Amino acid sequence: MTLLGTFALWTGLLLGAWAMLVGFSGRWHAQPALAVSVTRATHAMFAVMLVASAALWKGLISHDFNIEYVASYTSRNLPDYFIVSAFWAGQKGSLLFWAVVLSGFSSAAQWLTSARYRALLPYVAAVTSGVVSFFIVVMLFASNPFERLPFTPPDGNGLNPQLQNIGMIIHPPMLYLGYISITIPFAFAIAALLSRRVDTGWLHAIRKWTIMSWLFLSIGIVLGMWWAYVELGWGGYWAWDPVENASLLPWLTMSAFLHSVMIQEKRGMLKRWNMALILGSFLLSIFGTFITRSGVIASVHSFTQSNVGYFFLAFLLIAGILGFTLLYTRWDRLEADVQLESMVSREAAFLFNNLLLVGIAFSVLWGTLFPILSEAVRGTKITVGPPFFNKVNVPLGLLLLMLTGIGPLIAWRKASTANLKRQFTWPVLTGLVAGIAMVATGSRDFYAVVAIALGAFTTGTLVQEFARGTRARHKMYGESWPMAFGQLVARNRRRYGGYIVHAGMVIMFVAFAGMAFKTEMEATLKPGETATLKSPYGHTYTFTHLGVSQFEQLNRVVTQASVQVSKDGKPVGVINSEKRQHFSEPAPGVRQKSFEPSTEVGIRSGLQEDLYIVYAGSVQGTEEAVYRFTINPLVLWVWMGGVVLVIGGLVTMWPGSAGAGVTRRAQAGYEVQLAGAGSAS
Amino acid sequence: MTTRRDLLRRGAAAGIVVLGGPLLLSAQQQEPLAGQGEAGLLRDPVSAGRARERATDRDNDEFVKALEHRLQCTCGCTLDIYTCRTTDFTCTYSPQLHKEVLALQDEGKTGDEIIAAFVAKYGEDVLMAPKAEGFNIAGYVVPGVAILTAGAVLTAILRRRSLTRQAALAGAAPGASVEANDPGVPVLPGGTGTPEELARLERELRELDP
């Protein structure tokens, strides 16, 4: 199977070379058959990547430990469902995963793109095939998943215990899908630049792709936070680790693009900016992979590091130079159709929103790279950890939250004073009341109070938008209230889906603020002994240590510490936290301990707060246990905010959304007739 | 002579042995792995990880915690000392560093003096965030300055363009400014549009919406 896999990779490389050669040469303009050939090459490339993936799957499932990758990331007793995640647990597998998914997206882009944009497709195929080919080159020359060992070990090393978590089956592929799918908008952008068709057509072609990418990144990031929370055991979900930062960077620039693209679609402005955002997002997705793979910056995600990072660095530089040079050569063609009419307009609010999103991305990138810069300039190593990022980014995040509330309140083109007064009154009052209530109830954490107040302000904005829209439909069309609400969202999914996304963000920001009030303590308890901890809501939790038991489960010995919890004297239940010692079985009845014992946190989630219990270990091998008890306020709302955000994203990209209607309205000169104030496009 | 009662007793005893024996035996075989007694021994202490020392009140001292959040563990994990010692229970560095913090506190050193002692011993990268001095100031200031500068430039450009545009509009169609909301949303009667505009808008929406 390894021979077949390697053969498939070489075939994929040849197909990619053909697609690039023909696609970029432009000879298909004269010979349409060549355009068909390029399209078919992308489909064939997908097919051979599937064959390569099947070859690796076969090795994983059949425990072929002669394959170095299989021996490194699996063992005989690894539960089947974790064999799935072993495919992307290591670098070699994740490179293949990237290649197969991208070739699938590339094929889908050729297949699904409307005939109107056919002229762009050979270029698109050339770009996507180039990127797939790059991954194949990395696999063939530096990190081959089909590499065989000179001997066959009786058992594999097994999967890192921290990766033996359900979150790791979903989180990495989601993040990869986000990173990978950015390639399609990037390919269309390059195609538009190469073909000089830089009108808004290419934006329509990539609309679903950009939202999908953003959605996958969002899901991947939130799942990563959840995994960190339940698996790493430090009691938080975001540590500003370089790899976490790397996932945030393209998310920020894609978020900026999703806002600014509306200005281009509606007003024909920001063409250069949008092009730059797409190019930048793609480069940042590659940068994220470079950070993850190279180990150039210290990270807790050290399980995938190797020297292939420098392949990515070279690719990053080449793609960046070519992309931005191309943009520069088409600069004049990307002139805005109209100029901004007023500083007090939604366009201006979107521009400042973009400034902040890109500014935060820059700030995160700056902080991530500053240790390297410092070492280069001063020759001194420094650490840039959470205190730095919180100091720099929390104020920017709050400003962004404020703009999230302001943007929808300002009219397009130009807002009058009366309009501003009418729009802002209730949201501002809501925010003020929330802020005052927080201070009155004793909250003294400045950022937390501001976050809650701004969250309330933005919620006020969103509620007002939904309420006014629903009321308008109810009055104008005589629809029932629920029908009016449903139709409001269904008729303009992009706008109201976007508002639902904003609601998700507000929920998450408020939940982030909750962590300012977390409380924790360490305690050593013998069976029957208790410890008490007061929660930020004033509840008193009593933790009674019940005992420690040991048993075998799947591929591990579990040491489980049990705690009886009561809240204000009333029993809540038993929470277990574990130590897991994984082992491999090279032969029947022979066991070898693999990895250090890992910790499984005991969590009881509630709407107000989470009880987070970590069994740190035992004193001198007895049942006397050392615990860390933590009360984390509002954490459940982080995940709920994530779900709302994803629902909003799905509403936005649901088929039959605004696209056709908006296009037709724009073609009909809708805005011109409504405004009666000169041409808008 | 065996009475009927003896027979029943023997039968019951035999029954207990036959039926209960395996149960008793299995109970012995299924001896719980958990410790016995108030703080019994674990059967496999190695699987429970590194042996821990008892936590003390000083481990929960807010001053100590705050200091340890500012100092990085030297094991290479990228976590601060407090987080590492309460999370990565395989690390042997963070408990030691914690003891160093406590020892320095016992010597009567202030928080800043303890931090300085750590920097002197382990180097500047022991700090979780660089001190805002010298070149490090750039680390803190550059993002904010970049955003403010970009904001100022953006504002200036937008202001200039909007003034130019308004001047052009004033010449072409005086008083033409409107509040045009998103085209997908009906505007409330009595809002910003005239009844004629609203009627036209409604007609267009019915015609154009899918």
Side-chain angles (χ1 to χ4, degrees), chain A residues 383 416 495 524 527 665 673, chain B residues 33 38 55 125 179 185 200 209:
Chain A
T383 305
S416 66
R495 177 177 180 180
T524 307
R665 277 187 222 115
Q673 290 179 40
Chain B
L33 296 174
E38 194 182 328
D125 60 334
E179 295 167 20
V185 185
R200 198 172 72 218
D209 271 340

Side-chain angles (χ1 to χ4, degrees), chain A residues 232 339 378 383 385 414 416 491 495 520 522 524 527 550 579 618 621 623-624 628 665 670 673, chain B residues 33 38 40 42 44 52 54-55 60 85-87 89 124-125 128 161 179 182-183 185 200 204 209:
Chain A
L232 296 183
Q339 300 292 344
R378 296 171 56 212
T383 305
K414 184 179 182 182
S416 66
R491 289 278 173 157
R495 177 177 180 180
E520 59 190 338
E522 280 186 282
T524 307
Q550 289 188 303
K579 290 277 176 206
S618 287
E623 281 191 285
E624 187 175 7
R628 179 159 56 84
R665 277 187 222 115
Y670 165 83
Q673 290 179 40
Chain B
L33 296 174
E38 194 182 328
L42 299 177
D44 181 5
R52 302 287 302 178
R54 289 183 180 86
N60 291 316
R85 76 176 169 86
T86 58
T87 302
F89 306 113
E124 200 178 326
D125 60 334
M128 284 301 287
R161 287 187 179 177
E179 295 167 20
D182 192 287
V185 185
R200 198 172 72 218
E204 286 175 12
D209 271 340

Side-chain angles (χ1 to χ4, degrees), chain A residues 292-352:
Chain A
T292 317
R293 305 292 163 200
S294 66
V296 68
I297 301 168
S299 160
V300 293
H301 296 70
S302 55
F303 29 76
T304 50
Q305 290 174 5
S306 80
N307 60 352
V308 304
Y310 296 98
F311 279 77
F312 281 88
L313 185 61
F315 181 72
L316 190 68
L317 290 173
I318 293 168
I321 290 167
L322 289 179
F324 282 102
T325 305
L326 196 56
L327 174 60
Y328 178 72
T329 59
R330 306 292 188 266
W331 197 252
D332 292 341
R333 289 175 175 269
L334 292 161
E335 185 75 38
D337 296 340
V338 293
Q339 300 292 344
L340 189 88
E341 287 179 36
S342 167
M343 285 288 290
V344 189
S345 63
R346 193 173 298 182
E347 293 93 313
F350 272 25
L351 281 175
F352 284 101

Side-chain angles (χ1 to χ4, degrees), chain B residues 90-111:
Chain B
T90 61
C91 178
T92 53
Y93 288 70
S94 51
Q96 204 52 45
L97 293 166
H98 171 59
K99 282 178 185 165
E100 282 186 41
V101 172
L102 296 182
L104 289 166
Q105 192 191 19
D106 289 341
E107 288 172 19
K109 286 193 161 50
T110 63

Side-chain angles (χ1 to χ4, degrees), chain A residues 396-532:
Chain A
L396 296 175
L398 291 176
L399 271 176
L400 188 65
L401 182 61
M402 187 171 76
L403 273 182
T404 307
I406 290 175
L409 297 177
I410 306 179
W412 287 99
R413 305 186 68 175
K414 184 179 182 182
S416 66
T417 312
N419 167 274
L420 293 175
K421 196 175 167 188
R422 190 178 70 242
Q423 292 282 77
F424 275 87
T425 305
W426 283 109
V428 168
L429 280 176
T430 311
L432 283 175
V433 168
I436 291 166
M438 283 290 289
V439 174
T441 51
S443 297
R444 293 293 176 267
D445 187 290
F446 174 75
Y447 285 136
V449 171
V450 173
I452 303 280
L454 289 175
F457 163 69
T458 308
T459 306
T461 297
L462 297 173
V463 169
Q464 179 175 279
E465 284 292 295
F466 276 101
R468 283 190 176 161
T470 305
R471 191 152 52 96
R473 287 203 72 92
H474 175 70
K475 280 196 176 176
M476 291 179 74
Y477 303 126
E479 293 166 345
S480 66
W481 290 103
M483 173 68 84
F485 178 81
Q487 284 294 312
L488 180 78
V489 177
R491 289 278 173 157
N492 198 340
R493 290 174 195 157
R494 189 176 188 181
R495 177 177 180 180
Y496 289 96
Y499 285 166
I500 295 171
V501 170
H502 285 185
M505 288 305 301
V506 170
I507 293 170
M508 291 176 88
F509 266 86
V510 171
F512 295 156
M515 282 303 251
F517 305 100
K518 99 180 208 185
T519 55
E520 59 190 338
M521 67 175 289
E522 280 186 282
T524 307
L525 303 174
K526 290 178 181 172
E529 288 184 338
T530 61
T532 56

